[in-house]
Amino acid sequence: MTWYNVIQVIAAFFGSIGFAIILKIRGKQITYAGIGGMLTWMIYLVVYPLVDSYFWGNLIASLFVAVYAEVMARVNKAPATIFLTAAAVPLIPGRNLYYMMFGLVNEDYHLAYSNGVAALLISLAIGLGFVVIAVSNRYLNRLKYFAKENL
């Protein structure tokens, strides 16, 4: 891990904490949200060079952050959404959205198109990761409930 990556991970931690404060998350849950953002970005930094794809790198990182949010929700007896929204902040495709708008304003439609498609793919990967874990969690909880009722 290079110094540049270490700085990115630290920035992800503080960025997630800042977003948690904006969302009015309180107490030790702010720290958990920051740790989640830091770990999520670390996962992305490890996975992206291996798969060389924005979509798959963000999908795997979003699967991780969704599982992390569910675990932290159980540990803290709080909604998973508060951890999910704050810890997923590092995955937001801000750079791509910026360059898409920059390309549109400057009439560089190739730049706008390529960054718009990348932002769309990243957004789809993040959403898909969240949905897969939410549906899996709901399905496993129902299986547990029915198994308990039938015993």
Side-chain angles (χ1 to χ4, degrees), residues 49-119:
L50 298 175
V51 295
D52 197 29
S53 166
Y54 285 128
F55 180 81
W56 289 106
N58 281 285
L59 178 65
I60 292 167
S62 68
L63 288 169
F64 167 79
V65 74
V67 169
Y68 178 83
E70 292 292 337
V71 170
M72 287 295 110
R74 301 288 186 280
V75 168
N76 291 289
K77 295 178 178 58
T81 309
I82 64 173
F83 300 106
L84 186 64
T85 52
V89 166
L91 297 178
I92 295 172
R95 176 180 172 261
N96 298 105
L97 291 171
Y98 173 81
Y99 282 114
M100 181 190 75
M101 291 305 297
F102 184 78
L104 287 173
V105 169
N106 289 321
E107 297 179 3
D108 183 353
Y109 297 114
H110 177 70
L111 178 69
Y113 176 77
S114 62
N115 280 286
V117 168

